[in-house]
């Protein structure tokens, strides 16, 4: 009689090899360059794709197990949030402005990243990279879905949540994040990995998901906290994938170094400009604040970023070209951007407001060298105008940066009293920029950025400059809400429902 032989249990490395590299094959009736045409597009030289290592060694069967468990916990919490009137547990309805920006700008970016990883997973010939990109593509679409589901409960009670997809395509301030992801998705596969794995995951995600999600908890929003921390374990893996890709390219051939360094310079600045939205959300839109934008930058930018570039220095990588200018802008960017949002608030689907005395005292303590000197006097002047019945509104169209598409509202790195404006002429046309970093990016790839879709020029081209027609097109109801939080329907509804909930307890 035959004896039963116990099957040998595979080790982690063996299982990973069987579930990744052993699933690949060499093409026979087509040349490899025909099957993977884009891998040579950017000039990156790869001599051995098997050198790509996934530190997590995650296989698809384990992936589904972990994600399914997170899904069960996530939906249990947001169901409880909805059933217990969680929309009334937030500090006040000003906080919703941050969620509206997140839903209109960041969640569509997650979906764009999903599409991008699905594409580059097909374009890389290495099986390890294909599997890693496949998992991240699924992660990104899950993040978009969970964010939409978590915030959908607010859509039942407050304005500005229902048409986030239209807002992403049409409203001027969402083109900042949209242009970032369009730029990444139209790049080659290796540049895409740095754009998302380094800039979006390492630069943006650290400064958005950790301090902002803590702020959500501090303001009573457990739905947002839940999707934030549900995604955080994925984000750790995504950052590792991005850094692994950078090291892989640098180790494969010394000729890759100048290409990678150029991408790091570009995508650091692209990511930093998108962080202008995040800085304003943290400093101005959280009624109860956990930390300032400056404090978050010190932890997740200076300390983490400094450690990263020290690690990469052994490959010859230096800190990004715009690092010093970014450091000089940290104490100014949230104030400058909020002043811009306030003056154009009639054209947004969220609210802005004049900081209270308590808010300004907090900002003064967090920004002792800049706020009282440069920004408190401006807010005091705007408050006087509002009290006099002549609120400061700028009905002129903002000049947008051709690269990052932010309004040109920032100041010179070394002079906070002088507006920063750069200009380039290309093929007889003039293009405007908010900074040296954005101008350098354009000058390096002008054929790409002259094709950028900018909301303000499009308003003139398609609607003959009719602001009323534009507001109808983007779904803003002129006359019902002028963008100010004071007296808005969100404020009235929140106060009314909170009062009803309190009287019933």
């Amino acid at each position: 009689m035959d004896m039963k032989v116990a099957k040998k249990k595979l080790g982690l490395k063996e299982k990973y090899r069987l579930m990744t590299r052993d699933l690949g094959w060499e093409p026979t009736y087509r040349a490899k360059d025909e099957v993977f045409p884009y891998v040579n597009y950017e000039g990156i030289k790869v001599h051995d794709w098997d050198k790509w290592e996934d530190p997590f060694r995650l296989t698809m069967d384990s992936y589904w197990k972990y994600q399914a468990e997170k899904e069960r916990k996530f939906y249990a919490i947001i169901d409880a949030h909805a059933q217990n009137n969680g929309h009334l547990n937030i500090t006040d309805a000003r906080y919703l402005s941050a969620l509206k920006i997140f839903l209109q700008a960041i969640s569509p970016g997650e979906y764009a990243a999903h599409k991008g990883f699905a594409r580059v997973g097909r374009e890389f010939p290495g099986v390890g990279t294909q599997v890693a990109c496949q998992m991240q593509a699924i992660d990104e679409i899950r993040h978009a879905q969970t964010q939409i589901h978590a915030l959908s409960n607010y859509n039942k009670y407050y304005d500005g949540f229902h048409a986030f997809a239209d807002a992403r395509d049409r409203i001027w301030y969402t083109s900042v994040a949209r242009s970032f992801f369009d730029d990444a998705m139209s790049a080659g596969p290796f540049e895409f990995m740095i754009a998302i794995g380094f800039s979006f995951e390492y630069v943006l995600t650290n400064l958005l998901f950790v301090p902002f999600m803590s702020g959500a908890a501090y303001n009573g929003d457990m739905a947002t906290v839940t999707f934030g921390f549900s995604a955080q374990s994925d984000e750790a893996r995504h950052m590792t994938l991005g850094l692994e890709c950078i090291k892989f390219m640098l180790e494969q051939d010394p000729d890759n170094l100048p290409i990678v360094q150029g991408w790091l310079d570009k995508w650091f600045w692209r990511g930093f400009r998108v962080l202008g939205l995040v800085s304003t959300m943290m400093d101005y839109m959280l009624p109860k604040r956990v930390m300032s934008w400056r404090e978050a930058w010190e932890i997740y930018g200076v300390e983490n970023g400094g450690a990263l570039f020290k690690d990469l220095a052994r490959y010859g990588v230096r800190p990004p070209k715009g690092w010093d200018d970014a450091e000089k802008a940290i104490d100014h960017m949230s104030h400058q951007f909020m002043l811009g949002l306030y003056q154009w608030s009639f054209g947004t689907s969220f609210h802005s407001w004049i900081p209270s005395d308590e808010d300004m005292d907090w900002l003064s303590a967090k920004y002792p060298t800049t706020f009282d000197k440069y920004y408190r006097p401006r807010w005091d002047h705007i408050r006087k105008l509002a009290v006099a019945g002549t609120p400061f509104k700028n009905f002129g169209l903002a000049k947008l940066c051709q690269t990052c598409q932010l309004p040109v509202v920032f100041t010179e790195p070394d002079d906070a009293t002088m507006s920063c404006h750069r200009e380039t002429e290309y093929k007889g046309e003039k293009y405007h920029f908010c900074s040296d970093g954005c101008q350098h990016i354009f000058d390096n790839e002008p054929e790409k950025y002259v094709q950028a879709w900018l909301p303000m020029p499009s308003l003139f081209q398609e609607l003959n400059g009719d602001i009323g027609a534009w507001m109808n097109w983007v779904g803003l109801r002129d006359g019902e809400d002028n963008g100010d939080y004071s007296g808005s329907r969100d404020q009235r509804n929140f106060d009314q429902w909170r009062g009803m909930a309190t009287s019933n307890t």
Side-chain angles (χ1 to χ4, degrees):
M1 186 174 69
D2 293 337
M3 294 181 63
K4 291 184 178 180
V5 178
K7 292 183 179 179
K8 181 183 176 183
K9 186 176 181 180
L10 295 176
L12 185 61
K13 285 186 177 180
E14 292 176 298
K15 183 179 178 183
Y16 177 72
R17 177 177 54 79
L18 286 170
M19 296 292 285
T20 55
R21 282 163 175 74
D22 282 6
L23 297 179
W25 66 89
E26 289 294 319
T28 53
Y29 58 91
R30 288 288 184 182
K32 206 163 188 177
D33 287 345
E34 291 182 277
V35 180
F36 305 105
Y38 296 105
V39 77
N40 299 316
Y41 169 72
E42 300 155 295
I44 293 293
K45 298 176 182 178
V46 176
H47 304 292
D48 185 1
W49 278 99
D50 286 339
K51 293 293 185 182
W52 179 289
E53 288 291 341
D54 179 2
F56 290 89
R57 292 189 173 87
L58 188 63
T59 54
M60 196 53 79
D61 58 335
S62 300
Y63 175 83
W64 293 124
K65 177 183 175 182
Y66 297 144
Q67 298 301 78
E69 183 63 26
K70 288 198 294 185
E71 291 282 285
R72 281 193 291 271
K73 293 177 180 178
F74 168 78
Y75 282 104
I77 294 172
I78 65 166
D79 284 348
H81 176 268
Q83 292 169 14
N84 290 281
N85 291 324
H87 67 284
L88 298 179
N89 293 331
I90 58 175
T91 45
D92 68 55
R94 287 180 300 164
Y95 167 76
L96 298 172
S97 288
L99 297 186
K100 293 172 188 178
I101 294 177
F102 191 102
L103 185 61
Q104 294 163 13
I106 304 301
S107 298
E110 301 270 22
Y111 183 72
H114 146 72
K115 293 170 65 178
F117 276 103
R119 174 178 66 88
V120 300
R122 166 61 182 85
E123 292 172 355
F124 281 135
V127 182
T129 51
Q130 292 171 359
V131 173
C133 288
Q134 178 188 10
M135 291 183 190
Q136 186 155 348
I138 301 169
D139 284 342
E140 302 293 3
I141 196 169
R142 174 182 173 269
H143 295 173
Q145 291 170 342
T146 54
Q147 289 162 17
I148 293 166
H149 293 164
L151 299 181
S152 63
N153 188 54
Y154 293 109
N155 180 47
K156 300 175 183 178
Y157 306 100
Y158 304 107
D159 292 340
F161 287 94
H162 69 288
F164 67 92
D166 286 343
R168 179 262 182 192
D169 290 337
R170 300 180 181 185
I171 294 185
W172 60 275
Y173 56 87
T174 59
S175 71
V176 178
R178 174 186 172 183
S179 73
F180 176 95
F181 287 98
D182 286 351
D183 194 351
M185 292 175 68
S186 57
F190 287 107
E191 184 182 353
F192 176 86
M193 292 296 290
I194 287 186
I196 304 301
F198 164 68
S199 185
F200 181 56
E201 302 292 358
Y202 200 92
V203 177
L204 271 165
T205 299
N206 267 342
L207 283 155
L208 178 61
F209 274 83
V210 181
F212 182 71
M213 296 307 161
S214 299
Y218 207 50
N219 284 273
D221 180 11
M222 296 314 296
T224 299
V225 173
T226 303
F227 80 64
F229 289 120
S230 174
Q232 199 57 39
S233 59
D234 298 334
E235 303 299 350
R237 182 159 37 83
H238 299 172
M239 285 188 282
T240 304
L241 175 62
L243 299 183
E244 178 62 31
C245 182
I246 293 173
K247 292 179 180 180
F248 173 75
M249 287 187 282
L250 294 171
E251 290 171 353
Q252 283 294 302
D253 197 287
D255 290 346
N256 294 341
L257 174 60
I259 302 174
V260 172
Q261 182 67 66
W263 287 337
L264 292 174
D265 291 346
K266 169 185 173 179
W267 286 102
F268 168 76
W269 193 254
R270 290 291 271 131
F272 182 74
R273 274 300 183 235
V274 178
L275 284 172
L277 293 169
V278 181
S279 69
T280 307
M281 291 159 67
M282 289 185 62
D283 277 348
Y284 282 88
M285 295 183 177
L286 299 181
K288 293 176 68 177
R289 303 172 182 87
V290 174
M291 65 176 70
S292 68
W293 162 246
R294 156 57 75 183
E295 292 167 326
W297 173 258
E298 288 292 334
I299 298 171
Y300 302 105
V302 175
E303 292 182 17
N304 290 5
L308 168 65
F309 291 110
K310 283 181 182 178
D311 182 38
L312 295 177
R314 58 196 167 105
Y315 299 105
V317 172
R318 55 165 173 76
K321 188 182 294 182
W323 186 271
D324 291 339
D325 284 352
E327 176 60 30
K328 294 172 184 176
I330 291 299
D331 291 331
H332 299 276
M333 57 194 295
S334 67
H335 317 301
Q336 292 169 352
F337 200 68
M338 185 63 176
L339 284 162
L341 291 176
Y342 179 82
Q343 63 181 300
W344 290 302
S345 60
F346 66 91
T348 69
S349 61
F350 58 87
H351 299 106
S352 57
W353 52 87
I354 300 169
S356 65
D357 289 335
E358 182 182 359
D359 291 336
M360 287 199 273
D361 289 343
W362 183 88
L363 291 166
S364 176
K366 297 299 182 181
Y367 299 94
T369 62
T370 57
F371 184 76
D372 284 342
K373 184 177 181 180
Y374 300 110
Y375 304 108
R376 187 189 286 267
R378 294 165 72 176
W379 283 119
D380 287 341
H381 176 66
I382 289 171
R383 180 183 292 174
K384 289 178 183 177
L385 292 177
V387 171
T390 56
F392 179 63
K393 299 295 178 186
N394 184 350
F395 291 99
L397 299 183
K399 180 189 291 185
L400 302 181
C401 174
Q402 186 73 22
T403 302
C404 71
Q405 303 199 15
L406 279 168
V408 183
V409 297
F410 303 107
T411 54
E412 292 286 351
D414 297 310
D415 185 356
T417 65
M418 181 68 69
S419 293
C420 184
H421 174 257
R422 302 291 183 266
E423 190 175 281
T424 288
E425 186 168 323
Y426 180 73
K427 291 186 177 181
E429 294 282 343
K430 289 185 178 180
Y431 298 91
H432 305 280
F433 308 95
C434 68
S435 60
D436 290 324
C438 285
Q439 184 183 29
H440 292 157
I441 292 170
F442 178 93
D443 289 342
N444 193 48
E445 300 177 86
E447 296 88 354
K448 184 174 191 177
Y449 293 99
V450 296
Q451 301 176 64
W453 183 88
L454 271 69
M456 302 312 178
S458 297
L459 192 156
F460 279 102
Q461 292 169 1
E462 300 169 16
L463 300 172
N464 298 317
D466 186 339
I467 292 182
W470 174 82
M471 293 183 74
N472 288 331
W473 183 60
V474 300
L476 298 176
R477 297 184 291 272
D478 190 18
E480 290 193 22
D481 194 328
N482 63 4
D484 289 335
Y485 175 70
S486 180
S488 66
R489 292 203 308 176
D490 279 357
Q491 183 189 37
R492 297 196 307 269
N493 289 344
F494 178 79
D495 291 346
Q496 179 182 354
W497 291 326
R498 173 70 73 82
M500 292 172 59
T502 302
S503 64
N504 289 332
T505 57

